[in-house]
Amino acid sequence: MRIGIPRGLLYYLYKPLWEKFFAELGLEVVVSKKTTKNTLKKGIEVTVDDICLPVKIYHGHVISLKDNVDVVFIPRLVSIKNKEFICPKLMGLPDVIRANIKDLPPIIEPTVDLTSSWLGFYRAVFEVGSYFTNKNTVILKAFYKATKNFKNYTQALEKGARPDEILEGCCNLLSNKAKFKILLLGHPYNLYDPFINLNMIKKIENYGARVITPENFTETIFKTHLSKLNKPLFWTLGNKLLAAAYQLKERRDIDGVILLVSFGCGPDSLIGELIERWIRKNTDIPFVLLTIDEHSGDAGLNTRIEAFMDMIERRKAT
Amino acid sequence: MGSVSTNLVLIDKKCRVVKKIYLKTRGQPIKAIQKGLDFLGKDLRDENIAGVGTTGSGRMLAAALLGADIIKNEITAHAIAGIKFKPEVSTIIEIGGQDSKIIILRKGIVVDFAMNTICAAGTGSFLDRQAERLGIPIEEFGSLALKSRNPVRIAGRCAVFAESDMIHKQQIGHNIEDIIKGLCEALVRNYLNNVAKGKELKDPILFQGGVAANIGIKKAFETALNRKINIPDNYDVMGAYGVAILAKEKIEQQKIKTSFRGFSSKDTSFNTSGFECMGCSNHCEIIEIRSNGRLISRWGDRCGKWNEWQNLDVI
């Protein structure tokens, strides 16, 4: 049986977990191909205008998969941390997809909701596993192997590798030769899809910088820094960005911060503002906000990145 | 080379502006550059040119046509020019054809900047369009705004909203000066709330870019900020001036010979053509520039396989 995983949204965080789990259950895993113009075009055709770019692109990935697989995996992530939530658009993702795309194969849509208890996670694991086998031991074993794989992934991330490097299988970019260290903040689906962000990581690194991202920080960092908030935010992904910014006061090795948001992102309109204000008030690290949408002309982005790197270089020289 | 204007500046060894020209790009950047080259080169020979720099959204194209020694983004270029004009400058407001920017400097170093995000509301081309719609030459726009006694409030958050608001105000009988002044105020409000949001605008403040010619906007800035706004003598060509300085620095520091193609470029026929690369599923749009049939530059691809033309000996 072939199971399709769309290469979009939280794929960039959980691919090593999902893929291994399904493989261990004896399924053939098909991940949709890298995002292209056509993925976007197909996605835009079926979605409403107001929705954010990463969700449109996710639609494109589902469309590219639907005729080649027996089932498609679209998890409904409601909450992965106590009293926190994932973006509302992702909570309703399977429903949105079903409403927008016709002739879909069956959707495997486990609900992951850890608001009340983190047993909710195991509920989701068994819900998915029981589609394919009725042996609980097989599910448990597959899950064990998958979590081990996932752990290796997160450990590599904490050591400084980025998801795009690991998922692409090139980890030789970890050199310390870089002149600058840039913290690129943003949601994983915007940071690690070079099509969405017009190859931004490569663009920045071409100026002799090493790009690090929120995925490179440990859970401890997040916990420590989020305790500074009077009241934690509702959004797990937003909290992560905020914590990554908050640690900058203690770090002296970051030369600049770039915040990448997709146009129309509800949570980011608030979190971006919090991050920007905090960085400006508490640090003197250069900061720039970059917004992405459907634009495929990258002149505007190039100008901003070049000016930002120029600024950092000239500041460092004095 | 900007979206609306193409500007050429000639500077001497001491960075003084010898000659300058401000031309409308009018969708034909190559023609505009050639016209400018013709003007600058009237009593000069190719040997008189020690270095060339290009900036602005058309900087790649301009560099290909002229043979540039340095290609720089317009933020850095404007900052360099601003510092040259007033070394102690702390804030540069720059409104161009399609971009608006703020550059914050401290002690001659850029410490922060911002540009309008993906929307180009409230920039020069919007003012141009409104002037055209109202049948007023853009040159008179500013002075007309100053005549207003009772400015109306125009929605400034979005150019589309602003235009419909202006039409509504005009249809209920407000006079044109008041509408124009309202528009200037809306544009300034939009700039301060978006581009300059959260930034500390310290004195001295410079106002650069084509829109600085508009006295109505300058006045609206001064009223909103309650501060004096300085407009440099060469406000309209500051980007070009800045990159000229950078070219001079580079040539002097690295002791290199310029790659200037010569003034004959003004008569060379340049052709641009484009094609969609089918090498992978990205289908990048590749642009090629040819001079008398010979390929001189190419860009537009994500992977770099087409723009590596510079490494090829055959060209």
Side-chain angles (χ1 to χ4, degrees):
Chain A
M1 189 183 243
R2 289 158 70 88
I3 182 161
I5 301 181
R7 189 190 289 263
L9 298 173
L10 299 178
Y11 157 87
Y12 296 96
L13 284 187
Y14 294 117
K15 185 228 183 193
L17 182 75
W18 297 342
E19 200 180 43
K20 185 80 179 159
F21 182 60
F22 292 127
E24 288 295 321
L25 286 175
L27 301 164
E28 189 189 333
V29 183
V30 183
V31 177
S32 57
K33 294 208 174 66
K34 284 183 197 164
T35 314
T36 63
K37 238 188 219 175
N38 201 35
T39 324
L40 174 64
K41 189 174 155 255
K42 288 266 165 20
I44 288 177
E45 277 167 11
V46 296
T47 47
V48 291
D49 193 39
D50 293 336
I51 215 154
C52 66
L53 185 63
V55 171
K56 286 176 183 165
I57 285 186
Y58 191 86
H59 277 74
H61 281 287
V62 174
I63 293 169
S64 77
L65 278 173
K66 69 182 176 88
D67 299 323
N68 309 318
V69 295
D70 304 305
V71 290
V72 51
F73 179 62
I74 305 174
R76 184 194 304 277
L77 272 76
V78 176
S79 162
I80 53 169
K81 266 189 191 165
N82 190 19
K83 289 180 189 151
E84 289 181 10
F85 295 91
I86 300 290
C87 158
K89 284 167 194 160
L90 307 197
M91 288 183 199
L93 194 59
D95 306 317
V96 174
I97 294 284
R98 218 189 329 268
N100 289 338
I101 304 173
K102 287 191 186 85
D103 307 321
L104 280 170
I107 302 178
I108 307 292
E109 45 173 319
T111 300
V112 180
D113 184 358
L114 275 58
T115 22
S116 48
S117 141
W118 76 269
L119 276 176
F121 187 53
Y122 285 94
R123 212 175 295 134
V125 170
F126 281 98
E127 186 188 330
V128 175
S130 56
Y131 279 105
F132 309 106
T133 171
N134 46 22
K135 292 190 188 112
N136 281 354
T137 49
V138 174
I139 299 174
L140 267 178
K141 211 173 137 197
F143 179 62
Y144 172 74
K145 288 205 169 150
T147 40
K148 221 172 141 191
N149 200 35
F150 184 62
K151 218 173 179 177
N152 288 340
Y153 176 65
T154 44
Q155 276 169 356
L157 293 177
E158 285 168 9
K159 279 188 191 136
R162 281 194 320 261
D164 52 322
E165 292 166 340
I166 302 175
L167 300 178
E168 301 292 324
C170 55
C171 284
N172 54 351
L173 296 163
L174 294 171
S175 72
N176 292 319
K177 275 186 257 161
K179 282 190 284 176
F180 317 106
K181 213 178 225 179
I182 302 295
L183 174 61
L184 180 60
L185 294 175
H187 295 305
Y189 39 82
N190 288 335
L191 300 189
Y192 310 120
D193 182 342
F195 180 88
I196 277 198
N197 62 36
L198 302 161
N199 226 352
M200 186 176 290
I201 292 184
K202 198 174 156 205
K203 280 186 174 147
I204 300 169
E205 294 202 328
N206 279 345
Y207 289 96
R210 167 73 190 166
V211 170
I212 59 169
T213 60
E215 274 62 56
N216 293 129
F217 304 127
T218 58
E219 193 60 27
T220 336
I221 289 184
F222 296 132
K223 273 198 187 126
T224 330
H225 291 281
L226 281 177
S227 59
K228 288 179 196 159
L229 272 174
N230 296 336
K231 176 178 177 294
L233 299 173
F234 298 113
W235 307 285
T236 302
L237 297 177
N239 273 331
K240 206 170 165 178
L241 298 184
L242 206 52
Y246 278 177
Q247 53 145 349
L248 290 172
K249 209 172 173 176
E250 281 106 75
R251 281 182 82 130
R252 292 271 160 256
D253 62 330
I254 307 282
D255 300 302
V257 183
I258 299 179
L259 174 64
L260 179 71
V261 301
S262 34
F263 184 69
C265 175
D268 276 2
S269 64
L270 184 70
I271 292 157
E273 195 64 37
L274 284 172
I275 290 173
E276 182 168 353
R277 285 186 194 185
W278 192 89
I279 289 180
R280 292 198 194 283
K281 201 172 153 197
N282 295 286
T283 77
D284 58 359
I285 303 173
F287 172 89
V288 71
L289 169 76
L290 298 176
T291 311
I292 45 168
D293 200 31
E294 277 171 47
H295 298 56
S296 62
D298 57 0
L301 199 66
N302 291 345
T303 297
R304 288 162 177 82
I305 293 176
E306 188 189 304
F308 190 67
M309 298 310 291
D310 267 357
M311 172 168 81
I312 289 172
E313 193 156 4
R314 283 179 181 251
R315 271 176 78 151
K316 251 196 152 172
T318 54
Chain B
M1 185 191 276
S3 57
V4 171
S5 73
T6 298
N7 315 314
L8 287 91
V9 166
L10 189 70
I11 61 166
D12 64 9
K13 272 188 186 150
K14 289 186 174 148
C15 292
R16 287 174 304 206
V17 175
V18 180
K19 252 178 161 184
K20 64 167 186 176
I21 184 164
Y22 176 97
L23 296 159
K24 292 268 177 190
T25 308
R26 294 200 200 283
Q28 294 182 307
I30 295 176
K31 270 204 182 139
I33 276 243
Q34 289 180 321
K35 207 170 149 194
L37 212 51
D38 187 37
F39 171 80
L40 284 194
K42 274 209 176 99
D43 30 49
L44 286 174
R45 288 194 311 270
D46 291 356
E47 304 84 74
N48 297 124
I49 302 297
V52 180
T54 61
T55 186
S57 51
R59 60 187 181 275
M60 291 281 284
L61 183 63
L65 303 186
L66 296 172
D69 303 301
I70 189 165
I71 308 171
K72 239 331 148 210
N73 65 81
E74 51 272 31
I75 296 169
T76 308
H78 270 283
I80 297 290
I83 292 166
K84 200 70 178 180
F85 174 76
K86 215 180 195 29
E88 71 279 19
V89 59
S90 292
T91 310
I92 296 175
I93 294 171
E94 196 275 337
I95 307 183
Q98 205 179 182
D99 282 328
S100 50
K101 345 177 169 47
I102 183 160
I103 309 172
I104 306 288
L105 305 101
R106 298 288 179 262
K107 295 184 184 121
I109 297 281
V110 177
V111 293
D112 195 9
F113 70 85
M115 252 170 122
N116 52 337
T117 52
I118 49 180
C119 160
T123 53
S125 41
F126 173 63
L127 285 179
D128 270 348
R129 161 148 175 71
Q130 292 315 319
E132 198 184 337
R133 194 179 61 79
L134 298 168
I136 306 163
I138 186 72
E139 294 77 19
E140 289 166 26
F141 210 80
S143 48
L144 211 53
L146 295 189
K147 287 187 192 147
S148 159
R149 294 179 175 279
N150 186 26
V152 294
R153 194 187 157 91
I154 303 286
R157 200 166 80 87
C158 162
V160 180
F161 296 171
E163 181 163 332
S164 57
D165 210 17
M166 282 171 73
I167 293 172
H168 289 154
K169 296 274 154 76
Q170 138 209 330
Q171 300 302 65
I172 57 170
H174 285 284
N175 70 41
I176 211 144
E177 295 94 56
D178 291 343
I179 295 175
I180 289 177
K181 180 146 190 213
L183 179 67
C184 291
E185 286 173 354
L187 198 140
V188 165
R189 207 163 50 231
N190 176 294
Y191 178 92
L192 294 175
N193 290 339
N194 286 306
V195 183
K197 183 186 67 180
K199 310 244 185 284
E200 195 188 354
L201 279 68
K202 280 194 185 169
D203 285 329
I205 304 174
L206 291 186
F207 185 13
Q208 305 178 175
V211 175
N214 190 320
I215 181 95
I217 301 281
K218 178 189 183 237
K219 199 88 205 149
F221 265 119
E222 285 182 331
T223 315
L225 293 169
N226 199 18
R227 222 81 76 66
K228 188 179 168 344
I229 304 282
N230 305 285
I231 297 182
D233 313 329
N234 297 309
Y235 68 90
D236 53 344
V237 295
M238 286 300 260
Y241 180 46
V243 82
I245 297 171
L246 286 169
K248 177 186 163 286
E249 281 176 6
K250 187 178 172 187
I251 295 282
E252 280 174 356
Q253 279 163 13
Q254 302 184 1
K255 298 194 171 51
I256 46 170
K257 219 178 144 304
T258 181
S259 23
F260 181 48
R261 274 183 204 285
F263 287 109
S264 59
S265 296
K266 69 178 168 36
D267 305 314
T268 315
S269 90
F270 289 100
N271 294 310
T272 58
S273 54
F275 64 91
E276 212 176 62
C277 168
M278 294 294 178
C280 78
S281 46
N282 274 331
H283 293 195
C284 296
E285 290 150 12
I286 317 293
I287 301 290
E288 287 186 333
I289 314 289
R290 284 172 197 275
S291 118
N292 293 333
R294 209 170 57 124
L295 184 67
I296 57 164
S297 189
R298 185 150 66 184
W299 60 79
D301 49 340
R302 280 166 175 248
C303 69
K305 89 170 174 192
W306 294 105
N307 66 24
E308 275 163 6
W309 60 277
Q310 296 173 50
N311 304 329
L312 300 176
D313 290 331
V314 283
I315 295 162

